[in-house]
Amino acid sequence: MPDRYAVIGNPVAHSKSPQIHAEFARQTQQDLAYERLLSPANAFIATANAFRTRGGRGLNVTLPFKGEAFRYSDRLSESARAAQAVNTLKFEGDAIIGDNTDGAGLVNDLVRNLGHAVAGARVLLLGAGGAARGVIRPLLEQQPAQLVIANRTLDKARRLAQSFRDGLEASSYATLAGRQFDLVVNATSASLARELPPLPRGVFARGALAYDMMYGTGETPFLAFARADGAAALADGLGMLVEQAAESFFIWRGVRANTAPVLKLLRQTAA
Ligand code: NDP
């Protein structure tokens, strides 16, 4: 019997994780099965426990269960602790080990795939929800010159900034006027609703990269705005998805997958 893994979420039918992990397993000759696990909204723990009882070795966790998976874990990695959310569960004997690979996924995509250094860069992070929280620590580890968090509800950005360290700056959108950044990451859910965060014009410095964590819906309003406002490069979140999956795969199997051909394949399938 191959080792069993799954992505748990609600909804989960759209998830590309089964395809990504099947490619990683083929590439690295790992004998595993990876499925989609739809959990009722109020039954995450029962669904995850049933999967473990059937011999499941690990889960990827997607919306809306990352917070519940954090509480479900009895051991947490540093990144899960900082994110207060878990996207990777590993079942080892009786232990439930929770990790969060979203931030490492973003940084690997930025630095390795897109060749855009975070070290020394002025970074603007839009949003103060779960996705933003999950990437702050890995971004800070790269030692950017600045990391500013802008959010529609300013208080939420302030609380988030305070929970990390002094020097992490919270801002409203309006007070960004006149400032420039080398990297602007959209971690809001605005793109899901085809909306644009209320960014002032002129925030993209020369050579800036505009990165939208959203993927699979064509050019988002944020990326269209960035293009018109002079951003030098645009990227969606598909690379982050593949990179966070590779980190989960490593946690489970101890083997590094080559992400480039998998990302290429997904882009071809989407085209
Ligand atoms: P949350 O619901 O936790 O947070 C949503 C955030 O978006 C809040 O800060 C909210 O602001 C802000 N927001 C929503 N609508 C608007 C708008 N119209 N204008 C400005 N700000 C807005 O969501 P998550 O943090 O969990 O997810 C955010 C996105 O990240 C999702 O779209 C998801 O697809 C993506 N994501 C991608 C991943 C990948 O691998 N590529 C991994 C994880 C997430 P306020 O506080 O004011 O309400």
Side-chain angles (χ1 to χ4, degrees):
M1 281 283 281
D3 290 342
R4 294 181 64 196
Y5 298 88
V7 53
I8 183 168
N10 187 338
V12 80
H14 65 285
S15 174
K16 295 181 195 299
S17 294
Q19 188 187 355
I20 296 171
H21 283 279
E23 282 301 319
F24 288 166
R26 197 182 51 75
Q27 192 190 88
T28 58
Q29 297 173 338
Q30 295 282 305
D31 188 21
L32 61 85
Y34 190 108
E35 63 197 87
R36 289 185 179 84
L37 194 57
L38 176 67
S39 168
N42 57 0
F44 168 78
I45 291 178
T47 311
N49 279 341
F51 182 72
R52 274 179 81 195
T53 307
R54 295 197 309 271
R57 302 285 302 271
L59 287 168
N60 278 135
V61 183
T62 187
L63 290 176
F65 299 126
K66 291 183 185 184
E68 272 195 81
F70 177 74
R71 293 184 288 277
Y72 177 62
S73 306
D74 41 46
R75 261 161 49 199
L76 290 164
S77 70
E78 278 303 311
S79 34
R81 237 184 269 281
Q84 291 178 21
V86 157
N87 80 334
T88 305
L89 289 166
K90 182 178 177 181
F91 304 132
E92 212 171 60
D94 284 344
I96 304 173
I97 304 163
D99 212 321
N100 193 311
T101 64
D102 282 334
L106 173 68
V107 168
N108 288 348
D109 193 33
L110 290 168
V111 177
R112 290 195 209 147
N113 300 341
L114 299 165
H116 200 91
V118 178
R122 294 163 292 175
V123 180
L124 172 60
L125 181 62
L126 310 179
R133 176 180 284 280
V135 301
I136 290 174
R137 185 174 177 270
L139 284 173
L140 286 174
E141 281 171 357
Q142 295 290 307
Q143 302 194 312
Q146 293 170 23
L147 179 55
V148 177
I149 307 167
N151 197 45
R152 200 171 51 176
T153 313
L154 176 58
D155 214 43
K156 231 164 112 183
R158 284 201 176 121
R159 272 183 275 128
L160 186 56
Q162 279 162 6
S163 72
F164 278 84
R165 64 155 201 215
D166 294 339
L168 187 61
E169 188 186 332
S171 171
S172 69
Y173 283 96
T175 50
L176 294 172
R179 299 183 67 175
Q180 291 215 308
F181 297 89
D182 308 299
L183 170 63
V184 182
V185 177
N186 183 14
T188 74
S189 53
S191 300
L192 267 177
R194 309 274 327 148
E195 289 171 1
L196 176 68
L199 260 184
R201 294 205 170 277
V203 294
F204 298 97
R206 183 191 292 268
L209 169 65
Y211 192 102
D212 201 326
M213 284 195 192
M214 181 83 193
Y215 55 84
T217 55
E219 191 167 88
T220 63
F222 166 72
L223 291 180
F225 173 86
R227 180 194 296 282
D229 204 38
L234 310 176
D236 69 8
L238 193 64
M240 174 176 171
L241 177 77
V242 174
E243 295 296 339
Q244 64 77 27
E247 294 300 312
S248 299
F249 192 83
F250 181 72
I251 288 167
W252 292 330
R253 311 299 300 181
V255 178
R256 289 246 163 240
N258 181 5
T259 52
V262 180
L263 185 52
K264 192 170 164 200
L265 183 74
L266 287 184
R267 293 231 181 266
Q268 281 164 352
T269 325

mmCIF file of all heavy atoms in Angstrom, residues 46-79:
data_model
loop_
_atom_site.group_PDB
_atom_site.id
_atom_site.type_symbol
_atom_site.label_atom_id
_atom_site.label_comp_id
_atom_site.label_asym_id
_atom_site.label_seq_id
_atom_site.Cartn_x
_atom_site.Cartn_y
_atom_site.Cartn_z
ATOM 1 N N ALA A 46 -12.968 15.745 13.012
ATOM 2 C CA ALA A 46 -13.485 14.387 12.747
ATOM 3 C C ALA A 46 -12.968 13.886 11.398
ATOM 4 O O ALA A 46 -12.562 12.713 11.273
ATOM 5 C CB ALA A 46 -15.011 14.418 12.760
ATOM 6 N N THR A 47 -12.939 14.755 10.398
ATOM 7 C CA THR A 47 -12.492 14.337 9.061
ATOM 8 C C THR A 47 -10.995 14.020 9.061
ATOM 9 O O THR A 47 -10.554 13.010 8.494
ATOM 10 C CB THR A 47 -12.809 15.441 8.015
ATOM 11 O OG1 THR A 47 -14.163 15.840 8.178
ATOM 12 C CG2 THR A 47 -12.595 14.958 6.597
ATOM 13 N N ALA A 48 -10.220 14.866 9.738
ATOM 14 C CA ALA A 48 -8.765 14.626 9.804
ATOM 15 C C ALA A 48 -8.478 13.359 10.606
ATOM 16 O O ALA A 48 -7.638 12.538 10.201
ATOM 17 C CB ALA A 48 -8.075 15.839 10.432
ATOM 18 N N ASN A 49 -9.193 13.160 11.720
ATOM 19 C CA ASN A 49 -8.984 11.950 12.536
ATOM 20 C C ASN A 49 -9.325 10.687 11.754
ATOM 21 O O ASN A 49 -8.612 9.687 11.837
ATOM 22 C CB ASN A 49 -9.840 12.004 13.809
ATOM 23 C CG ASN A 49 -9.185 12.860 14.892
ATOM 24 O OD1 ASN A 49 -7.979 13.121 14.835
ATOM 25 N ND2 ASN A 49 -9.975 13.293 15.855
ATOM 26 N N ALA A 50 -10.417 10.747 10.977
ATOM 27 C CA ALA A 50 -10.825 9.569 10.196
ATOM 28 C C ALA A 50 -9.744 9.237 9.154
ATOM 29 O O ALA A 50 -9.415 8.067 8.921
ATOM 30 C CB ALA A 50 -12.165 9.834 9.512
ATOM 31 N N PHE A 51 -9.158 10.270 8.575
ATOM 32 C CA PHE A 51 -8.095 10.052 7.581
ATOM 33 C C PHE A 51 -6.862 9.408 8.242
ATOM 34 O O PHE A 51 -6.259 8.488 7.696
ATOM 35 C CB PHE A 51 -7.731 11.396 6.924
ATOM 36 C CG PHE A 51 -6.693 11.294 5.857
ATOM 37 C CD1 PHE A 51 -6.991 10.727 4.623
ATOM 38 C CD2 PHE A 51 -5.392 11.754 6.070
ATOM 39 C CE1 PHE A 51 -6.022 10.619 3.624
ATOM 40 C CE2 PHE A 51 -4.429 11.660 5.080
ATOM 41 C CZ PHE A 51 -4.743 11.089 3.861
ATOM 42 N N ARG A 52 -6.537 9.871 9.434
ATOM 43 C CA ARG A 52 -5.406 9.272 10.189
ATOM 44 C C ARG A 52 -5.682 7.817 10.509
ATOM 45 O O ARG A 52 -4.809 6.963 10.360
ATOM 46 C CB ARG A 52 -5.241 9.998 11.527
ATOM 47 C CG ARG A 52 -4.400 11.209 11.474
ATOM 48 C CD ARG A 52 -4.346 11.827 12.850
ATOM 49 N NE ARG A 52 -3.386 11.169 13.730
ATOM 50 C CZ ARG A 52 -3.354 11.327 15.045
ATOM 51 N NH1 ARG A 52 -4.232 12.095 15.645
ATOM 52 N NH2 ARG A 52 -2.430 10.728 15.757
ATOM 53 N N THR A 53 -6.917 7.538 10.946
ATOM 54 C CA THR A 53 -7.285 6.169 11.320
ATOM 55 C C THR A 53 -7.160 5.234 10.119
ATOM 56 O O THR A 53 -6.792 4.073 10.256
ATOM 57 C CB THR A 53 -8.740 6.165 11.863
ATOM 58 O OG1 THR A 53 -8.805 7.141 12.886
ATOM 59 C CG2 THR A 53 -9.137 4.818 12.423
ATOM 60 N N ARG A 54 -7.439 5.772 8.944
ATOM 61 C CA ARG A 54 -7.320 4.952 7.720
ATOM 62 C C ARG A 54 -5.861 4.870 7.237
ATOM 63 O O ARG A 54 -5.606 4.415 6.130
ATOM 64 C CB ARG A 54 -8.201 5.534 6.605
ATOM 65 C CG ARG A 54 -9.710 5.476 6.903
ATOM 66 C CD ARG A 54 -10.542 5.665 5.618
ATOM 67 N NE ARG A 54 -10.174 6.840 4.839
ATOM 68 C CZ ARG A 54 -10.695 8.046 5.006
ATOM 69 N NH1 ARG A 54 -11.611 8.247 5.934
ATOM 70 N NH2 ARG A 54 -10.312 9.062 4.247
ATOM 71 N N GLY A 55 -4.927 5.381 8.036
ATOM 72 C CA GLY A 55 -3.509 5.238 7.682
ATOM 73 C C GLY A 55 -2.900 6.460 7.028
ATOM 74 O O GLY A 55 -1.771 6.389 6.532
ATOM 75 N N GLY A 56 -3.625 7.576 7.006
ATOM 76 C CA GLY A 56 -3.086 8.806 6.408
ATOM 77 C C GLY A 56 -1.804 9.253 7.100
ATOM 78 O O GLY A 56 -1.707 9.181 8.324
ATOM 79 N N ARG A 57 -0.825 9.696 6.311
ATOM 80 C CA ARG A 57 0.479 10.086 6.877
ATOM 81 C C ARG A 57 0.627 11.605 6.988
ATOM 82 O O ARG A 57 1.479 12.095 7.705
ATOM 83 C CB ARG A 57 1.614 9.552 5.999
ATOM 84 C CG ARG A 57 1.607 8.034 5.820
ATOM 85 C CD ARG A 57 2.100 7.334 7.076
ATOM 86 N NE ARG A 57 3.437 7.777 7.437
ATOM 87 C CZ ARG A 57 4.562 7.216 6.995
ATOM 88 N NH1 ARG A 57 4.502 6.182 6.168
ATOM 89 N NH2 ARG A 57 5.731 7.682 7.376
ATOM 90 N N GLY A 58 -0.196 12.357 6.208
ATOM 91 C CA GLY A 58 -0.063 13.804 6.283
ATOM 92 C C GLY A 58 -1.147 14.502 5.490
ATOM 93 O O GLY A 58 -1.771 13.910 4.598
ATOM 94 N N LEU A 59 -1.368 15.773 5.839
ATOM 95 C CA LEU A 59 -2.391 16.564 5.143
ATOM 96 C C LEU A 59 -1.843 17.941 4.795
ATOM 97 O O LEU A 59 -1.103 18.539 5.585
ATOM 98 C CB LEU A 59 -3.616 16.772 6.058
ATOM 99 C CG LEU A 59 -4.529 15.575 6.311
ATOM 100 C CD1 LEU A 59 -5.501 15.882 7.454
ATOM 101 C CD2 LEU A 59 -5.312 15.236 5.037
ATOM 102 N N ASN A 60 -2.227 18.426 3.622
ATOM 103 C CA ASN A 60 -2.139 19.855 3.354
ATOM 104 C C ASN A 60 -3.481 20.439 3.753
ATOM 105 O O ASN A 60 -4.517 19.821 3.516
ATOM 106 C CB ASN A 60 -1.901 20.137 1.862
ATOM 107 C CG ASN A 60 -0.445 20.009 1.473
ATOM 108 O OD1 ASN A 60 -0.132 19.412 0.449
ATOM 109 N ND2 ASN A 60 0.440 20.558 2.280
ATOM 110 N N VAL A 61 -3.440 21.634 4.330
ATOM 111 C CA VAL A 61 -4.662 22.247 4.835
ATOM 112 C C VAL A 61 -4.901 23.546 4.087
ATOM 113 O O VAL A 61 -4.008 24.392 4.004
ATOM 114 C CB VAL A 61 -4.548 22.523 6.348
ATOM 115 C CG1 VAL A 61 -5.852 23.089 6.879
ATOM 116 C CG2 VAL A 61 -4.155 21.259 7.098
ATOM 117 N N THR A 62 -6.098 23.689 3.537
ATOM 118 C CA THR A 62 -6.413 24.931 2.844
ATOM 119 C C THR A 62 -7.662 25.547 3.481
ATOM 120 O O THR A 62 -8.147 25.069 4.512
ATOM 121 C CB THR A 62 -6.512 24.681 1.314
ATOM 122 O OG1 THR A 62 -6.658 25.943 0.663
ATOM 123 C CG2 THR A 62 -7.658 23.776 0.920
ATOM 124 N N LEU A 63 -8.155 26.637 2.884
ATOM 125 C CA LEU A 63 -9.280 27.386 3.455
ATOM 126 C C LEU A 63 -10.459 26.473 3.737
ATOM 127 O O LEU A 63 -10.718 25.588 2.928
ATOM 128 C CB LEU A 63 -9.726 28.485 2.479
ATOM 129 C CG LEU A 63 -8.751 29.651 2.293
ATOM 130 C CD1 LEU A 63 -9.280 30.605 1.223
ATOM 131 C CD2 LEU A 63 -8.529 30.397 3.596
ATOM 132 N N PRO A 64 -11.173 26.635 4.822
ATOM 133 C CA PRO A 64 -11.002 27.649 5.876
ATOM 134 C C PRO A 64 -10.393 27.054 7.145
ATOM 135 O O PRO A 64 -10.684 27.535 8.230
ATOM 136 C CB PRO A 64 -12.450 28.073 6.134
ATOM 137 C CG PRO A 64 -13.222 26.770 6.008
ATOM 138 C CD PRO A 64 -12.472 25.919 4.995
ATOM 139 N N PHE A 65 -9.540 26.053 7.011
ATOM 140 C CA PHE A 65 -9.168 25.248 8.183
ATOM 141 C C PHE A 65 -7.762 25.482 8.741
ATOM 142 O O PHE A 65 -7.318 24.738 9.619
ATOM 143 C CB PHE A 65 -9.319 23.756 7.840
ATOM 144 C CG PHE A 65 -10.718 23.345 7.466
ATOM 145 C CD1 PHE A 65 -10.973 22.688 6.275
ATOM 146 C CD2 PHE A 65 -11.787 23.612 8.319
ATOM 147 C CE1 PHE A 65 -12.264 22.303 5.924
ATOM 148 C CE2 PHE A 65 -13.080 23.227 7.982
ATOM 149 C CZ PHE A 65 -13.323 22.570 6.778
ATOM 150 N N LYS A 66 -7.029 26.476 8.234
ATOM 151 C CA LYS A 66 -5.635 26.614 8.676
ATOM 152 C C LYS A 66 -5.534 26.947 10.171
ATOM 153 O O LYS A 66 -4.588 26.531 10.835
ATOM 154 C CB LYS A 66 -4.895 27.662 7.839
ATOM 155 C CG LYS A 66 -4.684 27.200 6.391
ATOM 156 C CD LYS A 66 -3.886 28.215 5.590
ATOM 157 C CE LYS A 66 -3.804 27.792 4.133
ATOM 158 N NZ LYS A 66 -2.967 28.677 3.315
ATOM 159 N N GLY A 67 -6.509 27.703 10.685
ATOM 160 C CA GLY A 67 -6.532 28.028 12.116
ATOM 161 C C GLY A 67 -6.878 26.801 12.948
ATOM 162 O O GLY A 67 -6.269 26.546 13.991
ATOM 163 N N GLU A 68 -7.838 26.032 12.476
ATOM 164 C CA GLU A 68 -8.217 24.813 13.216
ATOM 165 C C GLU A 68 -7.077 23.809 13.226
ATOM 166 O O GLU A 68 -6.849 23.107 14.217
ATOM 167 C CB GLU A 68 -9.453 24.175 12.577
ATOM 168 C CG GLU A 68 -10.742 24.743 13.141
ATOM 169 C CD GLU A 68 -11.931 23.880 12.794
ATOM 170 O OE1 GLU A 68 -12.155 22.873 13.474
ATOM 171 O OE2 GLU A 68 -12.621 24.222 11.811
ATOM 172 N N ALA A 69 -6.359 23.725 12.108
ATOM 173 C CA ALA A 69 -5.233 22.790 12.023
ATOM 174 C C ALA A 69 -4.129 23.209 12.998
ATOM 175 O O ALA A 69 -3.437 22.370 13.569
ATOM 176 C CB ALA A 69 -4.691 22.745 10.599
ATOM 177 N N PHE A 70 -3.989 24.508 13.212
ATOM 178 C CA PHE A 70 -3.024 25.037 14.187
ATOM 179 C C PHE A 70 -3.381 24.517 15.591
ATOM 180 O O PHE A 70 -2.521 24.030 16.326
ATOM 181 C CB PHE A 70 -3.088 26.573 14.127
ATOM 182 C CG PHE A 70 -2.224 27.294 15.105
ATOM 183 C CD1 PHE A 70 -0.855 27.360 14.933
ATOM 184 C CD2 PHE A 70 -2.785 27.943 16.203
ATOM 185 C CE1 PHE A 70 -0.051 28.048 15.830
ATOM 186 C CE2 PHE A 70 -1.991 28.628 17.096
ATOM 187 C CZ PHE A 70 -0.622 28.683 16.908
ATOM 188 N N ARG A 71 -4.676 24.592 15.928
ATOM 189 C CA ARG A 71 -5.111 24.148 17.264
ATOM 190 C C ARG A 71 -5.100 22.624 17.391
ATOM 191 O O ARG A 71 -4.928 22.081 18.477
ATOM 192 C CB ARG A 71 -6.502 24.729 17.567
ATOM 193 C CG ARG A 71 -6.485 26.247 17.728
ATOM 194 C CD ARG A 71 -7.831 26.813 18.130
ATOM 195 N NE ARG A 71 -8.805 26.781 17.050
ATOM 196 C CZ ARG A 71 -8.911 27.692 16.090
ATOM 197 N NH1 ARG A 71 -8.080 28.720 16.080
ATOM 198 N NH2 ARG A 71 -9.812 27.587 15.136
ATOM 199 N N TYR A 72 -5.257 21.943 16.267
ATOM 200 C CA TYR A 72 -5.295 20.471 16.237
ATOM 201 C C TYR A 72 -3.895 19.868 16.451
ATOM 202 O O TYR A 72 -3.758 18.753 16.970
ATOM 203 C CB TYR A 72 -5.842 20.089 14.863
ATOM 204 C CG TYR A 72 -5.942 18.625 14.501
ATOM 205 C CD1 TYR A 72 -6.754 17.750 15.226
ATOM 206 C CD2 TYR A 72 -5.260 18.133 13.387
ATOM 207 C CE1 TYR A 72 -6.872 16.419 14.839
ATOM 208 C CE2 TYR A 72 -5.377 16.806 12.990
ATOM 209 C CZ TYR A 72 -6.187 15.955 13.728
ATOM 210 O OH TYR A 72 -6.305 14.655 13.342
ATOM 211 N N SER A 73 -2.852 20.631 16.111
ATOM 212 C CA SER A 73 -1.470 20.114 16.173
ATOM 213 C C SER A 73 -1.004 20.006 17.617
ATOM 214 O O SER A 73 -1.302 20.879 18.427
ATOM 215 C CB SER A 73 -0.518 21.069 15.445
ATOM 216 O OG SER A 73 -0.969 21.292 14.137
ATOM 217 N N ASP A 74 -0.249 18.948 17.945
ATOM 218 C CA ASP A 74 0.304 18.943 19.290
ATOM 219 C C ASP A 74 1.792 19.301 19.312
ATOM 220 O O ASP A 74 2.371 19.468 20.373
ATOM 221 C CB ASP A 74 -0.014 17.667 20.087
ATOM 222 C CG ASP A 74 0.090 16.410 19.291
ATOM 223 O OD1 ASP A 74 1.092 16.245 18.562
ATOM 224 O OD2 ASP A 74 -0.837 15.593 19.383
ATOM 225 N N ARG A 75 2.410 19.431 18.136
ATOM 226 C CA ARG A 75 3.751 20.024 18.035
ATOM 227 C C ARG A 75 3.735 21.005 16.889
ATOM 228 O O ARG A 75 3.162 20.699 15.846
ATOM 229 C CB ARG A 75 4.781 18.936 17.770
ATOM 230 C CG ARG A 75 5.491 18.536 19.040
ATOM 231 C CD ARG A 75 6.179 17.220 19.016
ATOM 232 N NE ARG A 75 7.042 16.978 17.871
ATOM 233 C CZ ARG A 75 7.424 15.744 17.519
ATOM 234 N NH1 ARG A 75 7.017 14.695 18.197
ATOM 235 N NH2 ARG A 75 8.205 15.569 16.481
ATOM 236 N N LEU A 76 4.380 22.170 17.081
ATOM 237 C CA LEU A 76 4.326 23.212 16.045
ATOM 238 C C LEU A 76 5.728 23.653 15.654
ATOM 239 O O LEU A 76 6.602 23.794 16.514
ATOM 240 C CB LEU A 76 3.575 24.442 16.571
ATOM 241 C CG LEU A 76 2.069 24.279 16.786
ATOM 242 C CD1 LEU A 76 1.540 25.404 17.663
ATOM 243 C CD2 LEU A 76 1.330 24.286 15.437
ATOM 244 N N SER A 77 5.935 23.898 14.368
ATOM 245 C CA SER A 77 7.208 24.477 13.919
ATOM 246 C C SER A 77 7.205 25.969 14.259
ATOM 247 O O SER A 77 6.156 26.559 14.536
ATOM 248 C CB SER A 77 7.344 24.313 12.404
ATOM 249 O OG SER A 77 6.405 25.160 11.771
ATOM 250 N N GLU A 78 8.387 26.595 14.176
ATOM 251 C CA GLU A 78 8.497 28.038 14.408
ATOM 252 C C GLU A 78 7.643 28.817 13.417
ATOM 253 O O GLU A 78 6.988 29.788 13.772
ATOM 254 C CB GLU A 78 9.963 28.475 14.267
ATOM 255 C CG GLU A 78 10.792 28.230 15.496
ATOM 256 C CD GLU A 78 10.205 28.912 16.732
ATOM 257 O OE1 GLU A 78 9.893 30.104 16.647
ATOM 258 O OE2 GLU A 78 10.030 28.224 17.755
ATOM 259 N N SER A 79 7.636 28.373 12.158
ATOM 260 C CA SER A 79 6.859 29.149 11.165
ATOM 261 C C SER A 79 5.368 29.015 11.408
ATOM 262 O O SER A 79 4.610 29.967 11.195
ATOM 263 C CB SER A 79 7.231 28.780 9.728
ATOM 264 O OG SER A 79 7.542 27.443 9.621
#
